[in-house]
Amino acid sequence: MIARTDSFSASVLAVGAAALSFFLITLNASMVTTALPVIGRELGGGSALAWVLTGYSLALAACLLPAGVLSDRIGARRAFITGMLVFAGTSVVCAIAGTLTMLLAARAVQGAAAAAVLPAGLALLTAAVPDPERRSSAIGRWSAAGAVALVVGSPAGGALTTAFGWRATFWANAVVGLVTLLAAFAAPNHHSRPQPEHSGPPVDRRAAGISAVTGFAVNFSSYGAIFVLTLFLQDHLGHSPWTTGLVFVPMTLLIIPANLLAGPLTNRYGVIRVLVAGQMLMLIGLAGLCTTPEAVSALIAWLLPIGIGAGLAAPAMTTMMLTGVPGPRAGFGAGVLNAARQVGSGAAAGLFGALLSSGALSGVRTSLVIACAAVLVSALLATIG
């Protein structure tokens, strides 16, 4: 009985550390975005100010794959703690930065640290919860932690910046990072021992491939839709940033219960059905947005199935990847999936940004049609793959 209790406590600590880290990485991006105008007024920088976000995102995307491999080689717990120490440390450096150059350098290192933490955290979760059904539910809670951060990030960043200045957002990151570190240090080391590079069973290439393609398509379409609608609402319909942000709140709120439902649904109906169902809901929402991009109330309504669908698909694709990749290579699998998702988000911003410049309404509709096509192809691949 004592052994079972200790094992349960160890699992809770490992899953808690992984979920907190995902919460922190997501919270960091949204809070800093809110504080960006105030940072510009104090540190200057003009167009270079955008690199406070871009430098972090590029470093995160570029380092995900090597960080996943490193996690498997040195052990997930060691990689996680090292990455989190650097992340918390660079948060302090950002908070005390006296120049934009210092802030940009710290943000780039922080992005690399986040890349180390993300796959290592999922590898910790995988080792701590070996039972497939319990793991699906744990992954749902892990995804929900990121969704909660997405909901509270902008309001929290705005409140902290208004009350204490932009530096408070980075101090908040450091505090949450410290709590995450405490949970990781308390988790037992045997959950994440280093493994030989090619030990264990081979990778299920079909599962890994479908998961990676789905990750790309879901981020490409969901983040792409948010990107084009944000620009369209502000630049062409004249809505304020505050009003524009409120448009996406109902959709974002629905991601949380969808994340939590994904695990039980996956256990009952199978990962492929949940994956395809989520993408079909996204397809319905995206198709609806194509018809009514100028009516704000209709936009809010059509964004709801996108939020539910993405909320179901994200835990399902993560479960599929971690099931298809053997435990000793869980870091690599998590790195592949999250790299695919980052590439999807970046590709959407680049492509849809170019389309919007050619014509506002037509560019929005063309972008949304392309997003529909990406989700449809991904769902078909999952069905017949």
Side-chain angles (χ1 to χ4, degrees):
M1 181 68 180
I2 295 176
R4 287 188 63 185
T5 301
D6 290 344
S7 176
F8 176 77
S9 299
S11 298
V12 169
L13 285 169
V15 174
L20 269 174
S21 68
F22 191 38
F23 173 87
L24 176 59
I25 290 170
T26 308
L27 184 75
N28 172 65
S30 53
M31 284 205 305
V32 174
T33 300
T34 307
L36 203 60
V38 182
I39 295 173
R41 286 196 291 271
E42 183 170 327
L43 299 183
S47 60
L49 186 66
W51 281 93
V52 174
L53 301 177
T54 305
Y56 173 86
S57 300
L58 287 177
L60 173 61
C63 294
L64 272 169
L65 278 177
V69 174
L70 180 65
S71 172
D72 295 334
R73 289 186 176 178
I74 70 172
R77 184 172 180 269
R78 183 183 298 176
F80 184 90
I81 289 174
T82 302
M84 188 53 65
L85 279 170
V86 176
F87 190 96
T90 50
S91 294
V92 174
V93 175
C94 289
I96 64 175
T99 65
L100 184 62
T101 301
M102 183 178 178
L103 179 61
L104 293 179
R107 286 288 287 170
V109 177
Q110 192 174 55
V117 169
L118 197 53
L122 277 173
L124 279 176
L125 183 152
T126 301
V129 190
D131 179 71
E133 291 192 2
R134 288 182 57 224
R135 185 190 299 162
S136 296
S137 297
I139 290 172
R141 292 192 292 272
W142 175 84
S143 298
V148 170
L150 197 62
V151 172
V152 305
S154 293
L160 285 171
T161 302
T162 301
F164 306 107
W166 64 267
R167 299 177 190 276
T169 61
F170 291 107
W171 285 118
N173 285 333
V175 171
V176 178
L178 178 61
V179 174
T180 307
L181 270 172
L182 292 175
F185 275 118
N189 196 27
H190 70 267
H191 279 318
S192 53
R193 290 174 181 163
Q195 299 287 344
E197 185 177 357
H198 299 293
S199 65
V203 173
D204 184 341
R205 295 181 183 274
R206 172 184 173 274
I210 291 174
S211 176
V213 170
T214 303
F216 175 91
V218 167
N219 273 46
F220 179 83
S221 56
S222 59
Y223 283 90
I226 293 172
F227 174 77
V228 297
L229 292 176
T230 296
L231 294 180
F232 185 71
L233 285 167
Q234 292 188 46
D235 295 344
H236 297 281
L237 297 186
H239 293 290
S240 68
W242 172 251
T243 302
T244 301
L246 291 177
V247 168
F248 300 105
V249 168
M251 176 193 81
T252 310
L253 286 173
L254 286 177
I255 295 175
I256 300 171
N259 283 158
L260 297 175
L261 279 172
L265 290 175
T266 297
N267 294 332
R268 182 169 182 176
Y269 298 107
V271 67
I272 291 293
R273 289 183 179 178
V274 176
L275 204 62
V276 173
Q279 291 181 92
M280 288 298 98
L281 284 169
M282 292 183 66
L283 185 60
I284 291 170
L286 290 166
L289 289 177
C290 291
T291 64
T292 55
E294 294 181 284
V296 173
S297 59
L299 288 182
I300 295 172
W302 287 118
L303 284 167
L304 298 182
I306 297 177
I308 298 171
L312 290 175
M317 73 176 78
T318 306
T319 297
M320 191 173 194
M321 176 64 81
L322 295 180
T323 302
V325 176
R329 304 191 68 189
F332 168 76
V336 169
L337 174 59
N338 286 288
R341 297 184 70 177
Q342 289 291 323
V343 171
S345 300
L351 175 60
F352 296 167
L355 289 171
L356 284 177
S357 65
S358 63
L361 186 56
S362 62
V364 169
R365 285 187 169 139
T366 303
S367 299
L368 292 171
V369 168
I370 294 173
C372 286
V375 172
L376 180 60
V377 170
S378 175
L380 290 173
L381 177 64
T383 303
I384 66 177

